Amino acid sequence: MPTKAPAAHADLLIELGCEDLPARFVWPLAEALMHGIGAGLLEHAVIAAKAHTFATPRRIATLIEGVALRQPDRAVERKGPKLAAALKDGVPTPASLGFAKSCGVEFSALAQEDGQLVFRSVQKGRATAELVPEIFEETLKAMDELVPKRMRWGDGTETFVRPVHWLVAMLGGKVVPLSRFGLKSGATTYGHRFHAPKAIALKSPADYEKKLLAAKVVADFEQRQAQVRTLIEAEAAKLKGRARITDGLLAEVTALVEWPVVISGRMEERFMALPPEVVIATIEHNQRYFPVLGKDGKLLPLFITVSNIQSKDVRQVIAGNERVVRPRLADALFFWEQDRKRKRLDDNLEALDKVTFPGGTLLGRTRRIEALAQQIAAELAVDQQAARRAAELSKVDLVTRMVYEFPELQGVMGGYYAENSGEKAEVAQAIREHYQPVHAAGPIPSSKLGQVVAMADKLDTLAGLFATGQRPTASKDPFGSRRAALGVLRICTEARLPLDVKALLKSALQSYTVGKRDEKTVAELWEFVLERLRGLLAEQNVSVEVFNAVAATGTTAPADFSARVEAVRSFLEMKESAQLAAAHKRIRNILKQAGEGDIEVRPEVFRESQEKDLYQALTQLDGKVHSAADKADYTGGLKLLAQLQKPVDAFFDKVMVMAPEEELRANRVALLRRLDKLCRSIADLSCLPG
């Protein structure tokens, strides 16, 4: 709860009371209100201590503790004309009089310093209560940007996501006058719509949360969310089970209630014949209910709901919840039974030819995925026939009744139907997994066959969209090309698949483009994928310098790229790395001036012992470093390179590379070219901090 503020400070409360807000906007709008008011105060140099955010379906509010009641006074200084232009024969010129007028003072009030007119004054700080209306208006503009479609109600022209029915604005015990949505701000809020509908008079912002709690409203979103979780888990324990609680559904349900009340219900046993994913999709996505699992992890015929009201007859509420879910599950059971009557999944292939997709039909896409899957399987020594079969059947569930009704189950249902039609278990699993990862943090396919088909599917998506000119824009990506690229990268790096993605993209594009367009599109596609890799590694705290150092090698295998990155990060922890990187930068600059040339070094031309020592060290390490790189032992290779730091430093201390003698200069430059090549064998060390 807010603490008592000093006399020169007070707590600020702003609340918008609305009709029920869409769940997805409740928390973002409340955060935007808090950030907007807080940032506005900061911009006006008004000190504040701590901000609280409140969000329920019927209100968004912020309470900021310890807000200064006034802006601090501010020293103002303006410099005017030079004295030579300000005075003529000791008389003020029009320029100086104009400057004095613009400052609101007489000429005599201006100071003369360093040959120039200067005006100084102290600008009194404004009262915070005067600033809040301006800050509130700017905050509302930012909040409007979060909601693409807003409502207008009554005779007014102002818009918001839902009609606003009351407005609270208080600084300490006084109302801050705001006028918006046809309302004037006050100190009156409202509790739960049914349990406590009467107006609530607030004496100060500190009363807000406590009085709402007494009126059956848990205003703090995070506190209410924790309460919802606790209530669900307790109810599941009573049912001798464990609730399946996803973060997304928990947040959504929290945004739908002000006074959470948990109720359980039961499903008919016949619906347990459905795949558990179907039941879960029905009660989670359609009904916002929480499934209950047994101790063995299997789905029980039970569910838990969160109500926004304490019912006098809970049995009627339970019966209503069960009645609503029953027809949806009955439909799903009908679809399941009808789809399984078709014993062979091949029978669905013909229907795929009637479904269009960028670049052709789904059947054509299936054939392309087959070819890619076989190629990838061959490179990974995976069963090619199994890969071809899994790819051939990967899209057939898209024309089933179940997936038409539950599109989020694509792939999952394909796996079940494959098992039902007698396909091998590994083929069914690959079909089930091939859409993974479904989202940025989702798991990748667990089986090698699933990884093969998933890669083929995503590579074809990328190739098709780029080849047909349907590339993503800054704001639109309707076919999920960014998600496909990230999926390819995550599968390669997390499963450590030694695949050249650029080469695979070229293979994927062969079905779409011919001739010179191929190379251009491949280059653009790889650059697109590389940008996604840059972002993926940035999330893992890989610096820009490390990324650029590895990218400079030209490696196009994400797993290899990732391995090099980890090796470079380890290399940077060595004390030799900074000096060697700095030396390599110097070498690159020298070679840029020297231009192209030979890397053949003639030892007999050496004059200084330091160049001989560097040549000897290079000769000893060259083969070892390249051997380590060939074995992908990049950490070992960079450790070997670190041994060059001392002879390189000694070389630059004692040897003048650009010697006046042409033969000597050319030999030393050749030595540096050979050194440069070695310093770029695992990563370009000149890109690293030095």
Side-chain angles (χ1 to χ4, degrees), residues 67-80:
V67 176
L69 296 179
R70 299 191 68 85
Q71 283 180 303
D73 295 342
R74 184 167 63 93
V76 177
E77 179 181 289
R78 289 180 59 189
K79 293 188 176 180

Side-chain angles (χ1 to χ4, degrees), residues 81-98 107-108 112 117:
K82 298 287 186 183
L83 292 180
L87 297 169
K88 187 174 182 181
D89 300 327
V91 178
T93 64
S96 61
L97 292 173
F107 176 81
S108 58
Q112 298 179 18
L117 291 179

Side-chain angles (χ1 to χ4, degrees), residues 38-49:
L41 292 172
L42 183 64
E43 186 179 339
H44 287 86
V46 175
I47 297 170

Side-chain angles (χ1 to χ4, degrees), residues 142-181:
M143 291 167 69
D144 280 347
E145 293 178 5
L146 295 174
V147 185
K149 293 183 179 180
R150 299 183 294 278
M151 293 181 66
R152 190 170 64 241
W153 60 95
D155 298 329
T157 58
E158 295 172 294
T159 62
F160 198 61
V161 60
R162 288 293 184 270
V164 180
H165 292 306
W166 74 86
L167 189 58
V168 175
M170 300 179 71
L171 183 59
K174 296 181 179 179
V175 171
V176 179
L178 302 180
S179 294
R180 212 40 163 89
F181 310 113

Side-chain angles (χ1 to χ4, degrees), residues 181-460:
F181 310 113
L183 302 167
K184 290 190 180 301
S185 59
T188 302
T189 187
Y190 293 85
H192 194 282
R193 187 196 302 275
F194 303 111
H195 291 308
K198 293 181 181 179
I200 301 170
L202 300 172
K203 292 182 179 179
S204 73
D207 294 340
Y208 180 74
E209 189 175 3
K210 180 173 58 178
K211 287 203 171 186
L212 281 180
L213 190 61
K216 302 290 186 181
V217 174
V218 182
D220 187 295
F221 188 93
E222 293 179 346
Q223 179 185 335
R224 193 168 69 254
Q225 182 167 269
Q227 183 179 342
V228 169
R229 180 185 286 276
T230 301
L231 289 171
I232 291 171
E233 289 173 346
E235 185 69 15
K238 288 181 188 176
L239 299 171
K240 296 184 172 18
R242 173 177 58 84
R244 174 186 149 95
I245 304 175
T246 63
D247 291 341
L249 183 57
L250 180 64
E252 184 177 4
V253 168
T254 302
L256 291 171
V257 298
E258 290 192 317
W259 187 253
V261 177
V262 164
I263 302 168
S264 59
R266 178 172 289 275
M267 296 173 282
E268 295 175 24
E269 286 289 343
R270 63 192 177 107
F271 298 135
M272 293 299 99
L274 284 164
E277 293 90 346
V278 176
V279 180
I280 289 170
T282 301
I283 61 179
E284 280 189 347
H285 301 166
N286 299 121
Q287 302 305 130
R288 278 54 174 178
Y289 297 169
F290 293 87
V292 180
L293 308 176
K295 292 180 180 178
D296 57 359
K298 291 184 178 179
L299 188 67
L300 298 176
L302 301 166
F303 59 81
I304 295 171
T305 67
V306 181
S307 174
N308 191 36
I309 190 170
Q310 187 80 49
S311 175
K312 292 180 181 178
D313 188 355
V314 73
R315 289 176 300 178
Q316 288 193 34
V317 179
I318 293 172
N321 290 338
E322 292 174 347
R323 186 168 57 250
V324 169
V325 79
R326 190 178 299 119
R328 288 191 174 274
L329 289 174
D331 286 346
L333 186 59
F334 173 77
F335 298 145
W336 169 245
E337 291 170 348
Q338 291 298 308
D339 287 339
R340 289 196 302 161
K341 286 180 180 178
R342 183 170 285 185
K343 291 295 183 183
R344 287 184 54 79
L345 279 182
D346 306 67
D347 297 342
N348 287 343
L349 287 171
E350 186 178 338
L352 291 178
D353 207 25
K354 299 174 183 177
V355 183
T356 59
F357 189 83
T361 68
L362 272 181
L363 182 60
R365 173 163 156 72
T366 298
R367 298 308 181 201
R368 293 192 299 271
I369 294 173
E370 282 182 58
L372 270 175
Q374 282 191 276
Q375 179 183 344
I376 296 168
E379 292 186 28
L380 298 177
V382 173
D383 186 339
Q384 293 183 53
Q385 287 307 307
R388 188 203 65 78
R389 183 60 173 168
E392 182 182 32
L393 300 178
S394 62
K395 303 299 176 186
V396 294
D397 65 350
L398 295 178
V399 292
T400 62
R401 294 189 180 192
M402 184 70 82
V403 173
Y404 182 82
E405 182 71 17
F406 298 95
E408 66 272 21
L409 295 180
Q410 58 186 351
V412 172
M413 295 313 302
Y416 280 110
Y417 294 140
E419 289 174 353
N420 184 66
S421 62
E423 296 292 334
K424 293 179 180 178
E426 59 266 29
V427 169
Q429 184 179 359
I431 295 170
R432 183 178 286 110
E433 294 179 332
H434 86 280
Y435 285 104
Q436 295 176 348
V438 178
H439 49 81
I444 66 169
S446 59
S447 67
K448 272 286 185 284
L449 198 59
Q451 293 162 9
V452 167
V453 181
M455 285 285 294
D457 175 55
K458 290 163 177 56
L459 290 166
D460 179 74

Side-chain angles (χ1 to χ4, degrees), residues 368 463-469 471 505-522 525:
R368 293 192 299 271
L465 294 175
F466 270 68
T468 56
R471 306 175 189 194
L505 287 168
K506 185 173 183 179
S507 296
L509 277 165
Q510 288 175 355
S511 301
Y512 295 96
T513 58
V514 291
K516 293 182 180 179
R517 286 175 57 204
D518 267 354
E519 294 303 324
K520 182 182 177 183
T521 309
V522 168
L525 247 178

